[in-house]
């Protein structure tokens, strides 16, 4: 029998295709799909001999190994459908593609005429976004050709981290260095960073190498994550949302013991000492004044931080000394800690430590803040037409823009206008579960969507009847990555692009978003401009040509060459140290801030004169956290979420192998469980003022007392009493906005737990 | 064999004999010190062996322990540990499953020492599944027969490694003659959370997670 890269004995008619998925999966697995006839029969992965030392790609992770049950699933949608029951009930009947595309065409035209084109909205979810081609990009093209649409800025993943970093390091917020620079580190701190589960590009390759090389790795996390088990020498649990207090107490110790790098501070930063405050700012606003209690009278000692963070003062002192004395030391922030109400300020705080110890711009150091690689490259999407609608809402405002559009303004995230000119009347939700499941406070969101007089048309295309799909008026069966052309990118670290090709012919009446949007375009009379006469493969080739032009230094092969090469590694990002040019050649390449320096104190934030937006970001008790004295009386446990290894957000939730890998359960510490009479495996109710979840408990010391945890992305499954038996954390999350960027704060929530 | 991939999940695969693939007893090495518990090994095995939910020829067990104490100031000290161990079949020197099999369907091969279940002669009594302390043999509800890890003998026969060895993203599973693995990595074949190795003499070498060294107690298998 023929052999595939020496991997697996093959059947005579079995072919192997080197491909990748194009949903928003962090590792973008190297998939070798084994295909017989029109069936995906097995998955294998990269051969070790093919791994490149400069950009070592991981073997496929657990999600990639399970793709077969995602693509071949009996529950996949088969036909276009139209809602027949009340919206949200999930009752549909089969219709023809002609009827579906006619309704979409005529309704989008009617709504644009009646309310204006800005009544049309597109949700940018993560079901297909790491591919060059996806339904969202084509839907934008179609709307832009027919009057425009209301775009949303920001994203629930990183908006707070990005904004916090912009106000610290300037307009270049990519504060992460490439991973092989960690070989120069004396100490690595993963702060709320959990690559073992998120699968963050090729991070796990490096962390296992660093661990085997004996590097000291500390993990700071409320949860004993799988990254702690696999990599850490020490776990320091802290209470969620108290991160800034831990930073401050560490900074206090570093100054108290004279461990700071004074010349670095003086040369590169603003706001550490009083002398470096910008003109026009009164005394007492600097980091040192704050730490010494000159304002407010409280010294930010480890003893001050102990009851706030839960970390013993002695541990804080030891950690501070260890961090300051290790030269260099890397403090790597995860993105999760920023998805909180004070997430922007927490991100700014975490830059304090590298700044006062001179770890910014140094190989083996790190800048703290938004740990996104400085060399990151993105897929090139089809070129688009200008959107005639000039204003944008925050992605957190959609429900408000549907229910009460007049209350939407710049104060809560509207950009480019003083107020909205129309309510949102039509939503296109293509390859996204953000409409309901991944939205904030989903019981509230669902109630708004259920009102058919408000939003008049909801179009969803997906592979499955997701909790969001249930709210569709028109529900369309999309093709999977295994049934269409594309090229895909990883997130974050590990920089590469890979061909994704149709392995299988679509079964039943499944069609790609581009394919049916072309029908809609024809019915709206814009087919030629919309499609340019290209089929999907034609668009991939066109996008690839744009890739070649966008990244000329990479000498990308042409598309035919790429079809042979399959994966291109962007090696020009290897050995990139974030902000190194701004440090090494500061006079000629200052930071892209107003002062040209790292702004520990931000004059731009100071000028906002908002108590929720301090110019010197520091610890403030967060609403809906353990420190919320009034709400915590009723709901004393703080609920956190994390991205589990067995799915990508909510994608793959219903893959049976992945469900077997990790059960959806509530993590609760034995101390909290005992106080409530809860035993391991027992069904529990998790409740707050917004909703009720009922799922099994995992009683485990792997989470700090006072905090409970749920893996994110489980699908909401309401019973007849409105109890979510699926365990979707957004049943309980809030739609509070973060203060600066009006991003999501839905990871900050309080609950109570009891035996069900 | 190559025709495996034509079978849908759960259908019986005809039993195929293979010549010995080694003169020496084969075994697995598991580096639990770096295992993240991701279960890529478990799923790649299910994918390769065409297994449905419920049958896991390779499983990942989690053990956690220790606890928290509150300080006077309101902080927490902790002694928490947690780790995972990936276990398939250990092809034991004294296989409990074989002892309890009434039909000789379970046999230990000369040379390579692989313990296999002849699914053609298995009567589906379930004794093996009940008796193995590692839960390696498992009943297939569709065929009513037991089956388990056979070191991917079809792959071995073609000079390939077992699929789990080739799939672990952290390279925490190795495979080979057990004498060589023991020489390289030591003799440890049990950690807190696994059965005592004295019972069946598994052909297994474990590099323990630092958490595994905290308490020398032998428990039942923890949750997989």
């Amino acid at each position: 029998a023929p052999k595939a890269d020496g991997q697996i004995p093959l059947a005579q008619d079995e072919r192997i295709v080197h491909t990748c998925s194009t949903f928003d999966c962090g590792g973008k697995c190297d998939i070798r799909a084994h295909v017989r006839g029109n069936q995906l029969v097995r998955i294998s992965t990269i051969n070790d001999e093919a791994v490149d030392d400069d950009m070592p790609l991981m073997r496929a992770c657990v999600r990639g190994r399970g793709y077969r049950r995602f693509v071949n699933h009996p529950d996949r949608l088969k036909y276009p459908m139209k809602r027949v029951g009340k919206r949200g009930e999930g009752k549909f009947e089969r219709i023809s593609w002609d009827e579906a595309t006619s309704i979409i065409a005529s309704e989008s035209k009617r709504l644009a005429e009646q309310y204006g084109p800005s009544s049309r909205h597109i949700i940018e979810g993560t079901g297909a976004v790491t591919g060059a081609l996806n339904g969202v990009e084509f839907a934008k093209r179609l709307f832009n050709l027919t009057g425009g649409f209301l775009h949303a800025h920001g994203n629930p993943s990183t908006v707070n981290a990005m904004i916090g970093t912009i106000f610290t390091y300037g307009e270049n917020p990519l504060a992460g260095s490439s991973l092989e620079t960690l070989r120069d580190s004396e100490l690595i701190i993963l702060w709320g960073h959990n690559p073992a589960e998120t699968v963050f590009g090729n991070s796990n390759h490096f962390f296992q190498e660093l661990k085997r090389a004996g590097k000291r790795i500390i993990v700071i996390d409320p949860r004993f994550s799988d990254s702690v088990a696999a990599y850490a020498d020490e776990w320091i649990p802290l209470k969620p949302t108290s991160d800034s207090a831990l930073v401050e107490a560490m900074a206090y110790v570093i100054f108290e013991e004279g461990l700071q790098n004074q010349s670095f501070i003086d040369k590169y930063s603003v706001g550490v000492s009083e002398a470096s405050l910008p003109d026009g700012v009164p005394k007492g606003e600097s980091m040192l004044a704050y730490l010494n209690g000159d304002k407010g009278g409280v010294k930010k000692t480890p003893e001050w931080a102990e009851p706030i963070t839960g970390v013993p003062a002695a541990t804080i002192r030891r950690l501070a000394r260890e961090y300051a004395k290790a030269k260099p030391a890397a403090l790597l922030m995860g993105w999760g800690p920023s998805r909180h109400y004070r997430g922007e300020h927490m991100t700014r705080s975490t830059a304090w430590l590298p700044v006062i110890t001179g770890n910014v711009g140094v190989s083996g150091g790190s800048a703290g803040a938004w740990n996104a690689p400085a060399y990151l490259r993105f897929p090139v999407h089809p070129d688009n037409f200008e959107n005639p609608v000039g204003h944008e809402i925050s992605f957190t405002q959609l429900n408000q823009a549907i229910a009460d559009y007049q209350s939407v303004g710049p104060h809560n995230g509207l950009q480019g206008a003083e107020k909205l000119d129309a309510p949102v009347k039509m939503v296109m939700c293509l390859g996204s579960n953000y409409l309901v499941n991944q939205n904030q406070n989903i019981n509230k969101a669902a109630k708004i969507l259920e009102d058919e007089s408000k939003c008049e048309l909801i179009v969803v295309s997906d592979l499955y009847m997701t909790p969001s799909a249930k709210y569709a008026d028109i529900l369309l069966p999309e093709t999977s990555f295994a049934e269409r052309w594309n090229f895909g990118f990883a997130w974050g670290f590990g920089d590469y692009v890979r061909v994704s090709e149709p392995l299988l012919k679509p079964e039943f009446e499944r069609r790609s978003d581009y394919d049916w949007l072309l029908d809609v375009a024809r019915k709206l009379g814009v087919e030629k401009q919309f499609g340019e006469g290209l089929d999907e493969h034609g668009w991939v080739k066109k996008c690839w040509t744009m890739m070649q032009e966008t990244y000329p230094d990479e000498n990308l092969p042409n598309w035919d060459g790429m079809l042979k090469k399959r994966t291109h590694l962007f090696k020009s990002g290897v050995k990139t140290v974030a902000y190194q040019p701004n440090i090494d050649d500061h006079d000629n390449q200052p930071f892209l801030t107003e002062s040209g320096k790292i702004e520990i104190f931000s004059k731009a934030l100071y000028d906002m004169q908002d108590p929720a937006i301090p110019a010197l970001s520091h610890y403030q008790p967060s609403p809906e956290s353990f420190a919320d004295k009034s709400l915590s009386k009723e709901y004393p446990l703080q609920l956190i979420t994390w991205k589990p290894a067995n799915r990508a957000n909510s994608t793959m939730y219903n893959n049976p192998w992945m469900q077997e890998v990790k059960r959806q359960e509530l993590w609760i510490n034995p101390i909290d469980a005992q106080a409530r009479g809860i035993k391991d495996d027992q069904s529990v109710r998790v409740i707050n003022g917004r909703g009720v979840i009922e799922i099994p408990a995992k009683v485990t010391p792997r989470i700090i007392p006072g905090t409970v945890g749920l893996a994110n992305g489980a699908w909401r499954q309401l019973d007849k009493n409105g109890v979510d038996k699926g365990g979707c954390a957004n049943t309980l999350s809030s739609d509070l906005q973060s203060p600066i960027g009006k991003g999501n704060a839905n990871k900050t929530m309080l609950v109570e737990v009891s035996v069900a | 064999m190559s025709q495996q991939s034509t079978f849908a999940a759960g259908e019986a695969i005809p039993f195929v004999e293979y010549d010995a693939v080694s003169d020496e007893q084969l075994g697995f090495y598991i580096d639990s010190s770096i295992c993240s518990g991701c279960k890529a090994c478990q799923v790649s095995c299910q994918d390769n062996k065409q297994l449905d939910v419920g049958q896991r020829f390779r499983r990942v067990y989690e053990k956690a322990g220790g606890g928290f104490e509150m300080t006077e100031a309101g902080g927490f000290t902790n002694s928490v540990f947690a780790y995972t161990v990936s276990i398939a079949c250990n092809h034991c020197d004294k296989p409990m499953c074989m002892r309890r099999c009434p039909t000789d369907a379970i046999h230990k091969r000369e040379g390579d020492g692989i313990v296999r279940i002849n699914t053609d002669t298995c009567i589906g009594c379930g004794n093996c599944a009940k008796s193995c302390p590692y839960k390696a043999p498992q009943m297939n509800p569709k065929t009513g027969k037991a089956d388990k890890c056979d070191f991917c003998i079809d792959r071995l026969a073609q000079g390939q490694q077992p699929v789990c060895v080739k799939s672990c993203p952290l390279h925490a599973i190795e495979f080979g003659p057990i004498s060589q693995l023991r020489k390289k990595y030591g003799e440890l074949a049990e950690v807190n959370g696994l059965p005592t190795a004295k019972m069946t003499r598994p052909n297994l070498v474990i590099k323990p997670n630092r958490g595994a060294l905290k308490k020398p107690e032998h428990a039942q298998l923890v949750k997989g």
Side-chain angles (χ1 to χ4, degrees):
Chain A
K3 286 186 188 173
D5 303 339
Q7 278 236 344
I8 280 186
L10 290 186
Q12 290 296 349
D13 58 345
E14 187 170 331
R15 64 193 176 95
I16 297 188
V17 187
H18 179 181
T19 188
C20 69
S21 76
T22 47
F23 54 79
D24 193 18
C25 210
K28 199 51 62 198
C29 286
D30 184 308
I31 289 303
R32 313 291 161 117
H34 295 234
V35 182
R36 294 184 79 186
N38 207 39
Q39 286 293 311
L40 189 55
V41 294
R42 211 158 16 197
I43 300 281
S44 58
T45 188
I46 189 169
N47 232 4
D48 299 343
E49 296 75 49
V51 172
D52 188 306
D53 285 340
D54 282 338
M55 184 61 72
L57 302 192
M58 301 291 294
R59 291 167 166 185
C61 88
V62 63
R63 303 192 281 255
R65 300 304 309 211
Y67 280 167
R68 190 150 66 91
R69 298 296 288 269
F70 174 72
V71 173
N72 300 346
H73 194 302
D75 290 352
R76 271 189 66 181
L77 301 176
K78 297 180 175 71
Y79 306 103
M81 293 189 286
K82 169 170 91 173
R83 172 171 63 83
V84 288
K86 284 188 188 148
R87 191 186 277 155
E89 269 187 338
K91 289 183 185 156
F92 294 91
E93 69 179 22
R94 183 177 166 183
I95 57 173
S96 68
W97 272 108
D98 183 50
E99 185 180 351
T101 52
S102 293
I103 293 170
I104 295 166
S106 63
E107 283 296 283
S108 67
K109 187 159 182 261
R110 176 183 71 82
L111 292 166
E113 283 167 3
Q114 195 173 334
Y115 298 98
S118 66
S119 65
R120 307 186 300 188
H121 182 73
I122 302 168
I123 289 179
E124 301 197 28
T126 63
V129 294
T130 49
L133 304 193
N134 60 63
V136 166
E137 293 301 321
F138 284 117
K140 284 183 192 170
R141 219 178 135 81
L142 180 65
F143 276 165
N144 287 343
L145 278 168
T146 56
F149 71 102
L150 182 65
H151 187 248
H153 60 83
N155 69 74
S157 185
T158 58
V159 63
N160 296 337
M162 185 182 75
I163 282 172
T165 308
I166 287 172
F167 280 99
T168 309
Y169 288 107
E171 292 297 322
N172 174 13
L174 301 170
S177 302
S178 59
L179 292 167
E180 73 286 332
T181 63
L182 295 174
R183 290 174 183 145
D184 296 332
S185 302
E186 294 270 302
L187 169 70
I188 296 161
I189 299 177
L190 307 182
W191 192 312
H193 189 29
N194 180 18
E197 287 174 88
T198 55
V199 189
F200 214 71
N202 59 355
S203 293
N204 289 321
H205 172 93
F206 285 98
F207 288 115
Q208 58 127 0
E209 180 202 301
L210 295 163
K211 162 145 182 179
R212 288 199 164 111
K215 289 276 181 209
R216 182 155 162 77
I217 301 176
I218 296 173
V219 176
I220 300 175
D221 198 310
R223 189 175 150 259
F224 193 110
S225 67
D226 292 352
S227 297
V228 180
Y231 306 132
D233 295 291
E234 184 177 1
W235 175 48
I236 300 181
L238 89 169
K239 296 186 197 172
T241 64
S242 73
D243 309 65
S244 293
L246 181 56
V247 166
E248 289 157 22
M250 287 173 70
Y252 185 93
V253 174
I254 288 167
F255 282 110
E256 185 182 47
E257 302 190 2
L259 299 173
Q260 78 274 20
N261 184 334
Q262 197 60 49
S263 60
F264 188 95
I265 296 169
D266 292 343
K267 185 165 179 193
Y268 299 111
S269 72
V270 169
V272 174
S273 66
E274 290 292 299
S276 71
L277 285 174
D279 291 342
V281 174
K283 279 184 179 171
E285 297 288 337
S286 68
M287 181 200 290
L288 285 171
Y290 171 78
L291 291 176
N292 289 325
D294 295 350
K295 200 171 134 184
V298 181
K299 286 189 193 298
K300 305 305 180 296
T301 61
E303 288 71 22
W304 163 80
E306 178 168 340
I308 298 172
T309 59
V311 184
T315 305
I316 299 175
R317 284 185 199 281
R318 178 171 54 77
L319 178 66
R321 287 177 196 134
E322 203 179 333
Y323 173 75
K325 287 177 182 173
K327 297 207 180 297
L331 189 166
L332 305 179
M333 294 301 303
W335 297 358
S338 72
R339 296 170 193 145
H340 286 273
Y341 180 71
R342 308 253 187 240
E344 294 153 329
H345 293 289
M346 185 282 307
T347 302
R348 273 173 55 67
S349 295
T350 61
W352 288 22
L353 296 171
V355 168
I356 65 176
T357 54
N359 271 303
V360 180
V362 178
S363 182
S366 88
W370 186 25
N371 185 27
Y375 54 82
L376 189 57
R377 271 153 288 220
F378 298 96
V380 173
H381 298 300
D383 45 337
N384 222 312
F385 305 96
E386 199 181 336
N387 184 356
V389 175
H391 56 273
E392 298 183 351
I393 54 171
S394 159
F395 71 97
T396 58
Q397 286 178 302
L398 173 60
N399 301 327
Q400 214 175 338
I402 294 171
D404 183 17
Y405 77 99
Q406 284 164 325
S407 69
V408 174
H411 64 286
N412 51 24
L414 182 64
Q415 292 178 358
E418 285 306 305
K419 52 183 188 178
L420 272 187
D421 55 356
V424 167
K425 287 285 177 185
M426 172 179 181
V427 174
M428 289 271 232
C429 180
L430 311 182
S432 172
N433 202 0
Y434 188 77
L435 183 69
V436 174
N437 211 71
Q438 303 300 93
N439 208 327
Q440 300 102 43
N441 190 359
I442 57 181
N443 284 338
K444 180 178 167 188
K447 207 158 234 105
I448 290 167
L449 295 172
E450 276 161 16
D451 186 343
E452 293 157 28
S453 73
K454 292 211 165 74
C455 186
E456 296 183 25
L457 180 67
I458 298 175
V459 179
V460 174
S461 87
D462 211 307
L463 271 58
Y464 295 102
M465 183 68 80
T466 65
S468 296
K470 285 186 183 164
Y471 286 79
D473 299 311
I474 301 291
L475 178 55
L476 305 171
E478 164 69 315
T479 49
S480 76
F481 69 86
E483 292 139 7
R484 52 183 144 81
W485 280 108
N486 220 330
F487 52 87
F489 278 66
W491 299 337
F493 300 90
D495 202 18
Y496 50 94
V497 57
R498 177 168 287 149
V499 171
S500 177
E501 77 167 53
L503 310 167
L504 314 171
K505 286 192 189 70
E507 292 184 317
F508 304 99
E509 291 189 12
R510 293 171 189 144
R511 289 173 80 186
S512 77
D513 285 335
Y514 175 65
D515 203 34
W516 64 260
L517 281 166
L518 203 56
D519 284 1
V520 178
R522 186 182 317 116
K523 288 171 182 178
L524 290 171
V526 294
E527 183 189 7
K528 210 171 158 194
Q529 302 97 304
F530 174 77
E532 297 184 10
L534 297 173
D535 62 8
E536 214 156 33
H537 194 202
W539 276 107
V540 167
K541 285 194 272 193
K542 188 179 175 194
C543 288
W544 187 260
T545 306
M546 294 192 294
M547 280 280 296
Q548 290 180 286
E549 289 158 7
T550 306
Y551 302 114
D553 296 347
E554 286 288 335
N555 292 317
L556 293 170
N558 65 18
W559 181 246
D560 285 342
M562 190 59 192
L563 282 178
K564 291 194 189 78
K565 191 177 183 189
R566 310 305 289 191
T567 296
H568 177 83
L569 309 175
F570 291 106
K571 288 203 224 163
S572 57
V574 171
K575 299 197 176 77
T576 297
V577 177
Y579 305 127
Q580 192 171 35
N582 314 103
I583 296 297
D584 290 354
D585 187 20
H586 185 64
D587 292 342
N588 294 312
Q589 298 191 62
F591 285 92
L592 302 176
T593 54
E594 209 175 291
S595 63
K597 295 186 176 188
I598 306 166
E599 298 193 341
I600 296 296
F601 179 96
S602 163
K603 183 70 166 46
L605 294 182
Y606 179 80
D607 290 341
M608 292 182 190
Q609 289 296 316
D610 180 337
I613 305 178
L616 179 83
S617 292
H618 61 270
Y619 173 70
Q620 291 175 290
S622 176
E624 307 234 4
S625 77
F626 68 91
D628 185 330
K629 294 295 175 216
S630 73
L631 197 61
S632 64
K633 280 186 194 126
E634 198 174 352
Y635 304 115
L637 296 170
Q638 188 164 352
L639 173 63
I640 58 166
T641 66
W642 69 93
K643 287 182 191 290
N646 58 337
R647 51 184 179 256
N649 294 316
S650 74
T651 304
M652 300 255 282
Y653 165 77
N654 62 339
N655 180 325
W657 281 340
M658 295 302 115
Q659 291 193 336
E660 198 178 22
V661 162
K662 306 261 175 179
R663 180 174 72 168
Q664 185 67 5
E665 53 198 3
L666 183 84
W667 286 38
I668 183 167
N669 188 282
I671 295 172
D672 298 316
Q674 199 176 20
R676 291 162 177 79
I678 294 165
K679 294 189 174 64
D680 192 37
D681 267 348
Q682 201 168 17
S683 187
V684 291
R685 282 166 78 85
V686 191
I687 185 165
N688 67 14
R690 290 179 287 266
V692 187
I693 282 174
E694 204 175 298
I695 49 161
K698 177 185 171 107
V699 177
T700 175
R702 294 181 62 174
I703 191 157
I704 190 170
T707 298
V708 291
L710 275 177
N712 111 330
W715 289 5
R716 175 194 199 228
Q717 293 163 44
L718 291 189
D719 70 6
K720 60 182 191 319
N721 301 315
V723 174
D724 175 10
K725 296 280 182 80
C728 176
N730 283 320
T731 296
L732 303 161
S733 71
S734 90
D735 56 358
L736 265 179
Q737 291 180 316
S738 56
I740 308 172
K742 314 304 174 193
N744 50 316
N746 61 329
K747 304 285 178 188
T748 321
M749 50 192 149
L750 287 170
V751 298
E752 180 55 296
V753 181
S754 60
V755 174
Chain B
M1 289 294 281
S2 54
Q3 71 266 28
Q4 273 190 15
S5 51
T6 59
F7 290 88
E11 278 182 51
I13 296 165
F15 185 76
V16 182
E17 293 282 8
Y18 292 87
D19 293 338
V21 292
S22 164
D23 303 339
E24 289 184 74
Q25 173 69 52
L26 300 172
F28 282 119
Y29 163 71
I30 304 295
D31 185 352
S32 173
S33 77
I34 196 113
C35 174
S36 72
C38 75
K39 305 189 186 175
C41 53
Q42 171 181 310
V43 175
S44 66
C45 173
Q46 288 177 309
D47 184 57
N48 186 51
K49 289 286 190 186
Q50 313 288 325
L51 303 180
D52 212 338
V53 166
Q55 270 200 309
R56 292 176 296 161
F57 290 178
R58 188 167 269 291
R59 307 155 307 287
V60 180
Y61 296 103
E62 180 200 348
K63 178 74 183 170
F68 284 83
E69 273 185 47
M70 198 180 240
T71 65
E72 274 178 30
F76 293 102
T77 57
N78 82 82
S79 58
V80 176
F81 64 90
Y83 56 91
T84 41
V85 190
S86 173
I87 294 290
C89 171
N90 300 313
H91 303 276
C92 303
D93 288 349
K94 296 198 308 187
M96 197 74 88
C97 57
M98 189 169 89
R99 232 168 80 191
R100 296 282 164 82
C101 176
T103 66
D104 294 335
I106 303 187
H107 54 286
K108 188 166 174 74
R109 289 150 51 94
E110 291 291 319
D112 55 30
I114 300 177
V115 176
R116 295 196 73 200
I117 301 179
N118 183 334
T119 44
D120 293 345
T121 56
C122 168
I123 57 166
C125 69
N127 285 356
C128 56
K130 281 177 223 141
S131 62
C132 172
Y134 299 95
K135 302 182 181 175
Q138 295 168 12
M139 300 306 290
N140 180 331
K142 287 195 180 142
T143 62
K145 311 235 179 183
D147 210 349
K148 67 169 190 64
C149 158
D150 62 1
F151 273 133
C152 288
I153 195 163
D154 58 328
R155 292 170 57 101
L156 296 185
Q158 300 209 20
Q160 309 300 326
Q161 300 247 308
V163 78
C164 54
V165 175
K166 296 294 278 184
S167 67
C168 175
L170 300 177
H171 298 254
I173 307 176
E174 286 181 37
F175 160 83
I178 194 69
S179 59
Q180 287 180 23
L181 294 174
R182 286 180 179 144
K183 211 165 146 189
K184 204 165 155 193
Y185 297 113
E187 304 269 329
L188 188 69
E190 60 183 68
V191 291
N192 186 12
L194 286 183
T196 169
K198 284 181 193 135
M199 213 181 327
T200 64
R201 308 222 336 244
N203 287 296
L204 174 70
V205 176
I206 298 174
K207 182 177 180 187
N209 189 285
R210 67 189 172 84
L213 303 171
K214 294 215 166 175
K215 268 189 199 167
E217 75 185 40
H218 293 296
Q220 287 291 304
L221 277 182
V222 283
K223 257 195 293 182

